[in-house]
Every structure is written in C-alpha cells, then in structure tokens.
Amino acid sequence: MLQDDLYKRILGEKDVSSLPVDTNILENGFTKFARAYAFTNEGLEGLMTSVDSQGKRILGVIGSADYMISSIFNGCEDYIGVDISIFACFFAELKFAALKKLDYSSFKEFFECPRTLRLIYSEEVLPQRIKGSIGGVSSFSEEIYTSLRDELSETAKKFFDNVIGYHYISSNGQQIHFALQYLVNAIDSSEMVYIPYLKTKDAYDTAQKRIQKTTMPILRPDDIGVIDGSINSDFDIIYLSNIPQHILFPDSVNIIERLSSRLKHGGIIVAYSITDILDDLERRGFTTSKIVSPRPRELHPIDVTIFPTAYLISNS
C-alpha cells in the first residue's frame, strides 16, 4: 500500500492544507491531530546500547522518528512505524528526507530552534509569508525544504507547502515559524548529543549512508494498540515509547499483552515509565528488566532532570 493511500484512509476528503492541530496532549491524550515530537526526550543512547537492533524486524511508535532512524543506523532489517498522529508521520518523512540529503550542519540548521521560542506555540495568530531567516534563526528554511520536497509523499508535500515559509508574529513581536505550532518540542544543538545519529558528524555521516540505501519505512497513521491483518508478520522488537503511561489501567496491560502475541520467540517490547503496572505484567507471566538511566540532564521547558526509565518486557 502506498504512503498516500495510508493517509487517505485517515483523512478521507479532508483538506490536508488546513488540518486542525490538537495542542493539549496532557488533557486530550494522543489524537490523530496531536502535535508531533520534533526530537526525542528519551534516553536513546542508553537504549540503543542495551537493545541490539542489528538484523531485527521492528514495529514501533514513530514519535519523533529518532528511534526509527537510530534503529536503521544500527542495522535493523525492517521497520514499520505507527503513530496515531498524522503530523508525526509527516515530520518523520521530512526528517528522513533531510537525513538523506543534507549535510550535518544543514540538518541542524533546518531543525534546531532556540529555547526562547518554545513557550509561545499555543498562540493563535494569522500566519504570513516571510522569506529567509528570522532573528538569526533559519529553522524550517523554505530554501532547504524545497531541496527535500521531491522525497516526500504527495500528501506530505501538500501539508508542508502550506506551513514551510510561513511565520506568525508572537505577542512579544518575534516572528515565529508557523510550522512550529505542529510540534511539541524543538531542540537546540546542545541537546543533539543525546541522540545517537546526531551526536557527532561522523555518526551523522554513517547514519546518512545507511539511510541513502534504505527505502522510506512504512508510516502508518494508526493506533499501535490495534494491529490489523494488513501487518501480517511478527517482530523481534515492538517499541511503545511512553504510550502505556497515557493509557488507563488495565487497558495499558491489555495492549502490551495483545501486542506480545506479535513477537517472535525471544522478542521484546520496549516501553518507558511503566512502574505502575510492573506487578500486573508479572502476574500475567511477563518478565521485565530495567535499562539503567543515562546521566541526568535538563529537559525543556518543564522541570525534569533525568530521562524516563526504559523497560524491556518479554513473555518467553
């Protein structure tokens, strides 16, 4: 099934150039029009060291697409990405295209955003088109986007054509990229060292060579907890990120149990922040093990000083 066909199943006749954006994940949970994550706020470096993805088949939440890209970087055989937010799929396409075509400095220039611009995403003001960089910031440059556009699905092109190159005026008079309203978090260069493929130029170059030889993974704008018959194979790794944290008990345990039936023998589920359901998982016959958290760091803009704890879940 083509990527555009997967989008059409969700969008129907909706105009992709004027989709609503759900800005309140904490209140509404993850929805099909929830903001995407620009970059991960999880400890991927520790996870990728602990979980070998070489030659593995992986089903995973797309989120920021950083785990997907890091898994390809580490040599996974196949990756199917799933995310209930269609914006997560669009931004994953864009990030994949950027990694394929841009050098290290251009990639960082395109995606990074100073911390000072992060707290005004909720403002609802009319966008306007402004050429070039603003205030010394050139993230989501229209010129760079144009060089990536041909790599995208037709649906993603229509979406980004409508937001790249547009800016809006914040209450303090700053001109802010309109595309940022679709993102939960942006990132500055000091934080990129916590993402394996962005840690150094050499790591980026290695990841880029692998991405250039890789077909864009299937990106499904679906609920990962409901795997239908169109995904007809089993997986070595199922990556849930922090999805269980946002689902009420016992549904969180039921989803893990249901997904475990799609694991190969010896396969694992990776999930964050599941301390509240560990006992229930063990009562259902699952084995869990904790990945040691990486070193503390500041997360923006909320007061969190360590990465969330990752757990490996198996039923073998």
Side-chain angles (χ1 to χ4, degrees):
M1 185 178 289
L2 296 176
Q3 188 63 54
D4 286 305
D5 294 331
L6 291 170
Y7 290 143
K8 188 171 180 58
R9 286 196 320 168
I10 301 300
L11 294 173
E13 299 306 315
K14 286 187 175 71
D15 181 3
V16 72
S17 66
S18 58
L19 294 176
V21 55
D22 187 346
T23 60
N24 196 338
I25 288 178
L26 291 179
E27 182 175 319
N28 301 329
F30 293 105
T31 66
K32 62 183 177 181
F33 298 121
R35 285 173 167 175
Y37 283 86
F39 287 87
T40 185
N41 57 4
E42 297 165 352
L44 277 192
E45 188 171 14
L47 175 61
M48 303 312 295
T49 301
S50 302
V51 180
D52 181 18
S53 54
Q54 177 74 37
K56 302 293 175 48
R57 299 201 74 243
I58 302 174
L59 174 72
V61 172
I62 295 168
S64 65
D66 288 327
Y67 178 74
M68 177 180 79
I69 291 170
S70 296
S71 296
I72 295 171
F73 174 37
N74 283 4
C76 74
E77 177 186 317
D78 187 28
Y79 195 107
I80 294 178
V82 183
D83 204 293
I84 196 169
S85 168
I86 197 165
F87 299 134
C89 298
F90 293 158
F91 277 95
E93 281 198 55
L94 186 65
K95 189 178 285 188
F96 197 87
L99 182 53
K100 183 180 285 189
K101 299 190 73 172
L102 301 180
D103 62 31
Y104 185 49
S105 61
S106 297
F107 184 98
K108 292 195 296 181
E109 175 187 334
F110 186 60
F111 283 108
E112 75 174 336
C113 177
R115 293 171 185 269
T116 54
L117 303 189
R118 291 178 177 156
L119 302 180
I120 45 69
Y121 297 166
S122 61
E123 298 190 31
E124 296 181 3
V125 286
L126 187 67
Q128 57 182 298
R129 199 169 196 83
I130 301 171
K131 295 286 186 179
S133 64
I134 53 174
V137 181
S138 54
S139 53
F140 296 110
S141 151
E142 186 172 14
E143 181 180 358
I144 293 178
Y145 164 68
T146 301
S147 73
L148 307 176
R149 188 177 181 277
D150 288 346
E151 298 288 331
L152 305 178
S153 68
E154 291 303 313
T155 309
K157 285 178 188 175
K158 289 177 184 177
F159 171 74
F160 284 114
D161 286 352
N162 191 58
V163 298
I164 298 290
Y166 282 84
H167 306 81
Y168 62 86
I169 308 301
S170 72
S171 57
N172 64 3
Q174 287 183 299
Q175 296 170 356
I176 309 302
H177 294 275
F178 191 49
L180 290 177
Q181 74 161 335
Y182 296 92
L183 297 175
V184 173
N185 66 333
I187 195 168
D188 61 33
S189 56
S190 67
E191 295 170 308
M192 291 185 179
V193 296
Y194 296 98
I195 300 172
Y197 71 94
L198 292 175
K199 189 172 184 178
T200 65
K201 182 180 182 301
D202 285 346
Y204 181 90
D205 290 345
T206 300
Q208 183 174 67
K209 288 175 183 175
R210 290 185 177 167
I211 290 290
Q212 288 170 342
K213 297 176 182 178
T214 303
T215 303
M216 178 72 196
I218 296 170
L219 305 174
R220 301 176 64 96
D222 289 325
D223 183 345
I224 196 169
V226 184
I227 301 298
D228 61 29
S230 63
I231 298 180
N232 56 10
S233 58
D234 293 334
F235 299 90
D236 299 289
I237 301 169
I238 297 178
Y239 174 72
L240 291 185
S241 185
N242 64 348
I243 294 299
Q245 185 181 16
H246 295 271
I247 301 171
L248 295 176
F249 175 84
D251 290 343
S252 53
V253 178
N254 293 339
I255 285 172
I256 289 173
E257 187 167 47
R258 184 161 63 245
L259 287 173
S260 70
S261 68
R262 304 302 302 269
L263 289 173
K264 295 180 180 179
H265 179 72
I268 59 170
I269 293 174
V270 178
Y272 287 88
S273 304
I274 60 168
T275 52
D276 291 346
I277 60 172
L278 287 177
D279 290 343
D280 298 282
L281 288 171
E282 290 174 5
R283 276 194 287 269
R284 296 198 193 187
F286 290 96
T287 300
T288 62
S289 59
K290 181 169 67 174
I291 294 178
V292 177
S293 297
R295 62 186 182 276
R297 66 133 172 165
E298 264 185 38
L299 293 179
H300 64 275
I302 55 178
D303 185 20
V304 178
T305 56
I306 59 172
F307 288 121
T309 301
Y311 286 84
L312 309 184
I313 306 166
S314 64
N315 60 357
S316 55

